[in-house]
Every structure is written in structure tokens, then in C-alpha cells.
Amino acid sequence: MTTHSRVPADRDAHPRLGWRRKAAAYWSLTKPRVIELLLVTTFPTMVFAERGFPDFWLTIATMLGGAMAAGSAGAFNCYIDRDMDKLMNRTKKRPLVTGELTPREALVFASLLGVAALVVLWFGANPLAAGLGAAAMFFYVVVYTLILKRRTEQNIIWGGIAGCFPVVIAWAAVRETLEWPALVLFVIIFLWTPPHYWPLSMKYRTDYQTASVPMLGAVASAKTVGVQVVLYAWATVMCSLLLVPLGWAGITYTAVALAAGGWFIWECHVLYNKAQNETLTDKKAMKVFHLSILYLTLLFIGLFLDPFIGSPLL
């Protein structure tokens, strides 16, 4: 009599991965491109708050803890949204869709990474920074992913608050409190998020419609989105200039904020005009998306350089 060993079907479908591929899958789960953008705002804010270079180990702990918190939130997002990710071309290669990671592995990884992030921020920076890190994860995972994303076209506005937390975490790490300049930086990123993300959602409108995600770019006309992009761009640039009357910004930051902001507003108006003329293409929409990243990067480079070049204007 011949004995046949029974092999689980899921092991046939997804053979055991090598450690390199597994590690790459976990890394992908953290959404590293999002982390890169968050770190771009963290270090310059610490320098601006310190009016010079902050303590080396404090900087490492704050950036590492912030990156880990963002990675945890991204992993939780992939776990929760795995049903819709398999429907969208933009996300169909994520590790939970391809089967490189199981939902259980992703959930355990996200949880452990989140706890580790708070430990690093608590002991490496201070309890206020850790509390703000916890709030950032809560907003992205609960407020945005679980509550708003599938229910309202305003999802990215309020859910985008999570992306504003790195600047206040950085400020709290250096000064152990929150002050008006930190709140201004918070609001800058809050106002910047819609004109940054909505052009992207216009390109992937079919994806969002297939997955039943009411992103504004997928459910509203290009004309409507164009109006909103322009209004938020103007609000972002105007808010960025509030650091001048507060007595913190010098000539370097002010010049960069005006030049980069003027360019950002111009390109948003170009998008608006093309939308009104019904000649807007996905390529043009994506130009504004990429430009918005460059704008924010330049603004925070100006913030970084400001303490070293010139003095506050007021």
C-alpha cells in the first residue's frame, strides 16, 4: 500500500521564499517612498527648531522612530486594504496581493514595528514625541484607512493629517514642547496634501472606481478637481509665509518659499486652465503631482538653510 503525504494547497500556490525576497516583501509593506518624503520634512524641522544642528543621537532616534512609525502605519494600511489592492493596477504587486506575505505575517510585523517605533521615540527623544508618533499612526490607520477612505471624497484631506505629524514630532523632539512655528509647518503639509494627491488620483481614476474608493479625482470632474487644486495651492503658499510675521523665518526661507511657491501655484493654474478647456491629460496631472513633491522638498531645504544664512526678518 502506497502512502501519499498531503501538501497544503497554499504551500503549492506560494512556495517558500528565500530570506532576501521575504525581507524585500516586508520592506515593500512599509511604503518606503512615503517614508522618504516624511524624512525630508523631519530633519530640516529639527535644524530649524534648534537654530543649528541638534544632538546627533537625538536626530537618529527621531528619524528612525518616525520612519518606523510611518512604516508600521503603511503596513497596517496594506493589511486592511488588501481586498481593494488586488483590484487596482497601481497596487496589485503589493506583497499581500502577490502572496509573498500572509495577512498574519503583515499584521504581526505592523504591530511589532509600531511598538518599536514608540519605544525608540520615547527613550531616544521624549514622551511627547512618542505620543505624537502614536497619534500619527492612529490617524493613518484608523481615521483614514478604516473610517474615511471608503466613505467620503474628502478622505485624503482629513486622513492626510497623519502625514503632517513628522514636523511636530521633530519639533517636540528638539524643544520638548509645541510652538506656533511647528503648528504652521503642520498646517502647510495639511494644505499641501490635496493638491499633491488629487492629480495622482485623476490618473488612476479607473483604479479607484474599480475598487469603489471615492477619491475626488475619481468621482468629480476634472474642472472641479482643478478648482480645488488651485485653492489649496494658494492656501499652502500663503500659510508657508506665516513663519515670517512669527519672527522665525529669515531671508533664505522666505526667498525659497516665494520662488518655489510661485512656481507651484503657476503649474496648478496651468492644470486648472487645461481642465476648464477640457484638454487636461494624465501626463499634465502627473506633472503637478511630481512638482508638488519638488516644491515641498525645496521649501524644507530652505527651512534647513535658514538658520545658517541670514537672520529672522521680523
Side-chain angles (χ1 to χ4, degrees):
M1 183 176 178
T2 304
T3 302
H4 297 279
S5 60
R6 187 170 180 268
V7 179
D10 60 343
R11 292 184 68 182
D12 287 336
H14 306 295
R16 191 176 185 84
L17 300 177
W19 72 268
R20 291 179 183 273
R21 189 172 171 187
K22 200 75 168 180
Y26 278 117
W27 175 247
S28 174
L29 205 63
T30 65
K31 299 187 177 181
R33 289 188 178 180
V34 175
I35 294 176
E36 289 174 8
L37 189 59
L38 297 181
L39 293 179
V40 162
T41 64
T42 299
F43 182 58
T45 300
M46 295 185 74
V47 172
F48 190 72
E50 181 70 27
R51 308 305 295 172
F53 288 108
D55 177 77
F56 176 78
W57 291 112
L58 175 65
T59 302
I60 295 298
T62 303
M63 295 185 69
L64 178 62
M68 292 168 68
S72 171
F76 273 118
N77 175 268
C78 289
Y79 170 80
I80 295 166
D81 284 350
R82 62 190 186 279
D83 60 329
M84 69 169 63
D85 283 347
K86 66 183 180 182
L87 302 175
M88 302 170 62
N89 289 326
R90 189 170 68 91
T91 56
K92 65 182 181 181
K93 292 185 179 180
R94 287 180 176 172
L96 284 173
V97 178
T98 61
E100 292 172 299
L101 293 174
T102 67
R104 177 184 175 84
E105 288 174 326
L107 185 59
V108 171
F109 173 74
S111 301
L112 293 177
L113 190 61
V115 171
L118 298 184
V119 170
V120 170
L121 288 173
W122 184 288
F123 292 103
N126 54 62
L128 177 57
L132 292 168
M137 290 189 285
F138 175 82
F139 264 91
Y140 191 74
V141 176
V142 178
V143 176
Y144 173 62
T145 306
L146 285 174
I147 298 176
L148 295 176
K149 187 172 183 178
R150 307 186 191 216
R151 290 181 172 87
T152 172
E153 64 187 32
Q154 301 298 308
N155 48 23
I156 199 64
I157 296 177
W158 302 108
I161 288 177
C164 308
F165 273 92
V167 293
V168 290
I169 293 171
W171 195 276
V174 170
R175 301 180 70 87
E176 299 186 10
T177 187
L178 291 180
E179 299 165 284
W180 280 111
L183 300 180
V184 169
L185 294 172
F186 183 98
V187 177
I188 289 171
I189 299 175
F190 173 77
L191 294 171
W192 167 86
T193 302
H196 160 66
Y197 199 86
W198 281 338
L200 176 73
S201 69
M202 295 173 75
K203 177 178 180 179
Y204 293 104
R205 62 178 66 85
T206 302
D207 269 1
Y208 287 116
Q209 290 167 355
T210 301
S212 299
V213 180
M215 202 66 68
L216 186 68
V219 300
S221 67
K223 293 181 179 180
T224 299
V225 177
V227 170
Q228 294 296 313
V229 165
V230 165
L231 291 176
Y232 273 100
W234 271 99
T236 301
V237 176
M238 295 302 292
C239 183
S240 73
L241 297 174
L242 289 178
L243 290 176
V244 178
L246 285 175
W248 278 79
I251 186 64
T252 302
Y253 171 83
T254 305
V256 172
L258 286 171
W263 182 27
F264 182 41
I265 288 174
W266 173 268
E267 290 294 343
C268 287
H269 272 280
V270 172
L271 182 149
Y272 165 81
N273 290 331
K274 289 185 177 296
Q276 302 307 308
N277 297 331
E278 299 183 352
T279 59
L280 181 64
T281 63
D282 288 346
K283 183 177 180 180
K284 181 58 190 176
M286 287 301 292
K287 180 180 179 181
V288 173
F289 167 76
H290 292 297
L291 174 63
S292 68
I293 298 175
L294 179 58
Y295 161 72
L296 195 70
T297 302
L298 290 174
L299 186 70
F300 276 83
I301 288 175
L303 195 77
F304 168 78
L305 294 174
D306 198 73
F308 306 107
I309 306 175
S311 58
L313 295 178
L314 297 177

